[in-house]
Every structure is written in C-alpha cells, then in structure tokens.
C-alpha cells in the first residue's frame, strides 16, 4: 500500500481516535471528579463521614476498575445500543470508554485530594465555611496539579482502550492496525499506526506534565500567602469566641 493510499486512512483514524478519547475524557472528568471527592468526604474523619456509603461507593468503583475493558464493552452492548442506537462506530465506543474511565479517574482524584493539607480545611471551617466551600475553595484548587496529572494518566489509558475498541468496529487507529496491518498483512501501515500512537501519547504526557509543573510552581510561590490570609482571617473569629466566653 502506497503512502497516498495510507494517508487518508491514517488521517481519518487519527481524528476518530482523538474524537473518542476527547469526549470520553470529558465525561470521565465530569463523573469521576465528584465521585473521587465524595470518597474522601464520606471516609472516616471526612466532612460528610458515612462509612456505609463510603464502602458501597468504594466497592462499586473497585468492581468497575477490575473489569477488563474488552469484557466491559461486551457487557455494555445493550446499554450502548440504547444510548447511541448502535454498537459500532466512534460514538458507540465513547459509552464503554467513558464508563470504564470514570472509576479509574475517581480513584486518582481520591488520592490527589487526600494530599491536601488538613490545616487549610480547618481554617475555612473556622471562618464558617460549609462543605461546598471547603471543596470549592480548598480541596480542588490545592490538589489541581495532581488532578492535572491524574487527567493526563486517564487520557493515556483511554488511548490504549480506544485501540482495543477498534478491534470490535469502533474505528480509530486500533481498527486500522487490525483491519489493514494484521488481517491484510500491511506491516508497514501497522507500524506507522504504532508510531502515531506513541507520538500522540508522548505529546499528551508532555503537555500534562508541563501544566502540572507550572501550576505547582505557581502554587509554591503564591501558596503561603493565601494560607496566611486564611489563618489571619480565622483569628478574629477565634478572638470573638474567647470574648463571648
């Protein structure tokens, strides 16, 4: 197969892969971020401590994470058909990709949020902040560099999942590698597909690492000031309590 024949195939397959991964990542972040934060809030000592709810949510996440993606795609075929009207194509592949990525990203979010300094949470609570304020003003902003890294890891994993989805007619680079590279013995095309995937993953990893480092450095230079303002803002409240006593 000549390059002029391969180019349109590779261009369309690359676009299909980015389309599937982009939408799946968006859905995974929207679904996984609150789920990960909820796992922290409902844990022992959390702001919304509820051991039963935490165990139930944790088990659901663990079961979803432990299921191989190929099996997940097959298990969700009826649901995928109900949502998209088909089980073939890039739109259909987004459903299992997103559902598989949500628990994966949720666990990464949980790990990132647990690293936030508890002193900041206590300071916001001393100022009268509720749970939503703590989440919005402290937990998410303070863990943002780690959340960016978690999102990058999720995107890289989704690219691998999308290649597997191509084996069952989802389209994308995985489909090209199997349908042309393997079944039609177009070895050159298969290796070009592998190279494209490697380059895309490297670029995404580089961009994610750069963004996380930039946020971390900016937080490192300006981080003490917001914390000091929080503590200073909490002192009057403590003084008022002592006067009232």
């Amino acid at each position: 197969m000549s390059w002029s024949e391969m180019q349109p195939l590779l261009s369309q397959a690359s676009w299909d892969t980015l389309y599937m991964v982009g939408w799946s990542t968006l859905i995974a972040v929207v679904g996984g971020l609150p789920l990960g934060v909820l796992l922290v809030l409902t844990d022992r000592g959390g702001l919304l401590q509820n051991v039963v709810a935490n165990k139930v949510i944790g088990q659901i996440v663990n079961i979803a994470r432990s299921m191989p993606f190929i099996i997940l795609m097959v298990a969700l075929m009826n649901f995928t058909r109900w949502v998209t009207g088909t089980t073939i194509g890039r739109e259909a592949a987004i459903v299992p990709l997103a559902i598989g990525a949500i628990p994966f990203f949720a666990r990464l979010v949980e790990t990132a949020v647990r690293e936030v300094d508890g002193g900041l949470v206590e300071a916001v609570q001393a100022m009268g902040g509720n749970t939503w304020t703590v989440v919005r003003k402290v937990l998410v902003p303070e863990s943002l560099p780690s959340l960016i890294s978690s999102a990058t890891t999720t995107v890289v994993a989704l690219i691998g999942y999308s290649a597997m989805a191509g084996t069952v007619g989802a389209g994308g680079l995985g489909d090209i590698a199997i349908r042309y590279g393997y079944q039609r013995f177009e070895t050159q095309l298969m290796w070009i597909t592998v190279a494209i995937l490697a380059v895309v993953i490297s670029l995404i990893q580089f961009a994610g690492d750069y963004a996380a480092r930039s946020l971390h450095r900016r937080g490192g230079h300006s981080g003490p000031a917001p914390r000091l303002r929080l503590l200073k803002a909490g002192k009057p409240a403590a003084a008022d309590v002592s006067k009232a006593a």
Side-chain angles (χ1 to χ4, degrees):
M1 183 179 289
S2 64
W3 174 248
S4 60
E5 294 173 316
M6 289 189 289
Q7 187 175 7
L9 291 174
L10 293 171
S11 299
Q12 183 61 45
S14 299
W15 166 248
D16 288 343
T17 295
L18 293 175
Y19 181 88
M20 290 186 290
V21 172
W23 278 106
S24 301
T25 301
L26 179 62
I27 296 171
V29 170
V30 172
L33 181 59
L35 189 59
V37 173
L38 189 61
L39 284 169
V40 176
L41 296 178
T42 57
D43 200 5
R44 295 183 186 276
L47 298 178
L48 300 175
Q49 179 174 320
N50 188 320
V51 178
V52 175
N54 184 268
K55 293 295 183 183
V56 171
I57 297 172
Q59 284 300 318
I60 293 174
V61 169
N62 290 338
I63 292 172
R65 285 183 62 200
S66 65
M67 188 174 296
F69 182 68
I70 291 292
I71 297 176
L72 182 65
M73 283 195 300
V74 175
L76 291 174
M77 276 189 175
N78 290 332
F79 179 73
T80 300
R81 184 180 291 109
W82 178 74
V83 173
T84 64
T86 182
T87 58
I88 299 175
R90 62 185 189 181
E91 282 77 16
I94 292 172
V95 176
L97 284 172
I99 292 177
I102 286 174
F104 179 82
F105 184 65
R107 281 300 186 189
L108 296 178
V109 170
E110 180 188 11
T111 302
V113 172
R114 287 191 189 280
E115 297 175 355
V116 175
D117 186 2
L120 290 176
V121 175
E122 295 174 359
V124 172
Q125 288 180 306
M127 291 162 31
N130 56 21
T131 301
W132 170 244
T133 302
V134 171
V135 172
R136 187 167 55 91
K137 295 292 187 180
V138 178
L139 296 183
V140 173
E142 288 293 320
S143 61
L144 193 55
S146 296
L147 292 177
I148 295 294
S149 297
S150 299
T152 303
T153 302
T154 302
V155 172
V156 171
L158 280 170
I159 292 175
Y161 290 165
S162 71
M164 285 189 283
T167 63
V168 292
L173 291 169
D175 177 55
I176 293 295
I178 294 296
R179 187 150 51 95
Y180 290 91
Y182 178 73
Q183 295 177 348
R184 301 186 185 182
F185 304 102
E186 294 286 350
T187 306
Q188 183 181 11
L189 179 60
M190 183 173 65
W191 284 113
I192 292 175
T193 303
V194 172
I196 292 174
L197 286 171
V199 170
V200 170
I201 288 174
S202 298
L203 290 174
I204 291 174
Q205 190 67 57
F206 173 79
D209 291 344
Y210 178 80
R213 285 195 301 268
S214 299
L215 286 171
H216 184 72
R217 285 197 298 266
R218 188 172 65 182
H221 292 308
S222 62
R227 296 187 184 193
L228 185 60
R229 286 197 296 270
L230 283 173
L231 294 176
K232 285 182 177 180
K235 287 182 179 179
D240 292 340
V241 172
S242 62
K243 287 180 181 180

